[in-house]
């Protein structure tokens, strides 16, 4: 995985810069406790998510209000991000994009285990942002930044070509109904966009507990000449479950229902 790339020494929690307006994209940070604003979703295209607020605890709301400026950006498509500046480093840091981090506990665990890798975690779930911000503070994580909004806009308009060292998509909405299959995130068009932002050697790691979606993921990823399956000889081309990927809430729920979890690990050529 990306943590095996030889990176510069990672900053410590004490090195995290104080909140500054330059860290955000523009001056339109989200209102603490609000869902993603509707104006970010005016484009007429099929999306793989619905903006959602959910119920927030007082601690999550407080963390969102106090820590967002230091660690969060709002996806607005206005300018390309300077990832080194975003993470507050002077030497290049390999950055992995995680799409859909839920409550962020798995993200925080992985970040603590690989401090030399930056994790840019994007989601539209407001309580999850608050919870991950709490973990960033409590665990002293200097290598996590949050993004609120549409991952497609983030990839297309705000990340430079070949700027990412990895892509992680764990347990995305399976959209199981036939009429909703077009809403699944892992589609050829999305993959082409994502690959344009991945540097050679970058790792693509997907996981799902929905068998039909796993098959779709394997088909889409396997059809790309720009990707190499790291486990081509395993049944179905699926990877053994990596011990460094924490068990997520969605994974536990799927297992409890008798679902089989599939991981897919590919490398960009």
């Amino acid at each position: 995985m990306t943590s095996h790339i030889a990176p510069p020494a990672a900053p410590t929690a004490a090195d995290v810069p104080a909140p500054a307006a330059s860290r955000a994209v523009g001056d339109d940070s989200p209102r603490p406790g609000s869902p993603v604003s509707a104006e970010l979703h005016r484009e007429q295209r099929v999306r793989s998510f619905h903006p959602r607020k959910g119920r927030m605890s007082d601690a999550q709301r407080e963390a969102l209000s106090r820590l967002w400026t230091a660690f969060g950006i709002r996806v607005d498509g206005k300018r390309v991000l300077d990832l080194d500046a975003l993470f507050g480093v002077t030497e290049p840091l390999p950055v992995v994009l995680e799409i859909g981090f839920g409550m962020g506990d798995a993200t925080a665990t992985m970040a603590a285990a690989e401090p030399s890798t930056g994790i840019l975690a994007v989601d539209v779930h407001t309580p999850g942002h608050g919870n991950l911000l709490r973990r960033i503070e409590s665990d002293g994580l200097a290598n996590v930044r949050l993004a609120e909004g549409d991952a497609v806009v983030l990839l297309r308009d705000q990340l430079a070509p070949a700027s990412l060292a990895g892509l992680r998509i764990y347990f995305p909405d399976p959209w199981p109904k036939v009429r909703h299959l077009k809403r699944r995130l892992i589609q050829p068009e999305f993959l082409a966009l994502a690959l344009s932002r991945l540097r050679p050697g970058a790792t693509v790691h997907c996981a799902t507990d929905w068998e039909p979606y796993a098959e779709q993921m394997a088909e889409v990823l396997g059809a790309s000449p720009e990707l190499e399956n790291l486990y081509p000889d395993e049944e179905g081309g699926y990877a053994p479950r990596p011990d460094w990927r924490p068990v997520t809430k969605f994974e536990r729920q799927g297992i409890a229902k008798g679902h089989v979890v599939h991981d897919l690990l590919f490398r960009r050529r």
Side-chain angles (χ1 to χ4, degrees), residues 164-236:
L164 296 174
L167 175 66
R168 296 171 179 169
I169 304 173
Y170 300 150
F171 304 95
D173 193 325
W175 295 101
K177 296 181 180 179
V178 173
R179 69 177 184 272
H180 291 155
L181 295 184
K182 62 185 178 182
R183 292 187 176 274
R184 288 178 177 172
L185 181 62
I186 308 301
Q187 309 275 1
E189 297 79 8
F190 168 80
L191 181 62
L193 171 61
L195 288 175
S196 72
R197 300 312 190 245
L198 295 175
R199 66 183 63 168
T203 303
V204 177
H205 185 191
C206 300
T208 181
D209 66 316
W210 192 255
E211 186 78 24
Y213 200 5
E215 294 170 356
Q216 178 175 327
M217 289 178 174
E219 180 180 356
V220 172
L221 297 175
S224 173
E226 299 179 70
L227 287 175
E228 171 191 8
N229 190 342
L230 297 181
Y231 294 90
D233 298 327
E234 297 291 332
E235 184 177 356

Side-chain angles (χ1 to χ4, degrees), residues 48-66:
S48 63
F49 66 93
H50 292 302
R52 55 201 177 103
K53 179 178 179 180
R55 299 185 63 180
M56 299 182 66
S57 69
D58 290 341
Q60 291 166 355
R61 186 177 296 105
E62 190 273 337
L64 188 64
S65 176
R66 182 167 51 84

Side-chain angles (χ1 to χ4, degrees), residues 8-91:
T12 65
D15 297 322
V16 177
S22 60
R23 306 225 27 219
V25 179
D27 57 359
D28 55 352
S29 296
R31 298 178 302 279
S34 72
V36 177
S37 301
E39 65 267 20
L40 299 182
H41 308 293
R42 290 173 178 168
E43 296 178 30
Q44 296 300 310
R45 60 180 171 83
V46 175
R47 287 180 171 76
S48 63
F49 66 93
H50 292 302
R52 55 201 177 103
K53 179 178 179 180
R55 299 185 63 180
M56 299 182 66
S57 69
D58 290 341
Q60 291 166 355
R61 186 177 296 105
E62 190 273 337
L64 188 64
S65 176
R66 182 167 51 84
L67 300 173
W68 179 261
T69 304
F71 297 99
I73 62 168
R74 182 180 181 184
V75 177
D76 62 5
K78 290 183 178 180
R79 68 188 70 179
V80 176
L81 295 172
D82 180 335
L83 292 179
D84 292 338
L86 181 66
F87 282 87
V89 295
T90 56
E91 296 294 331

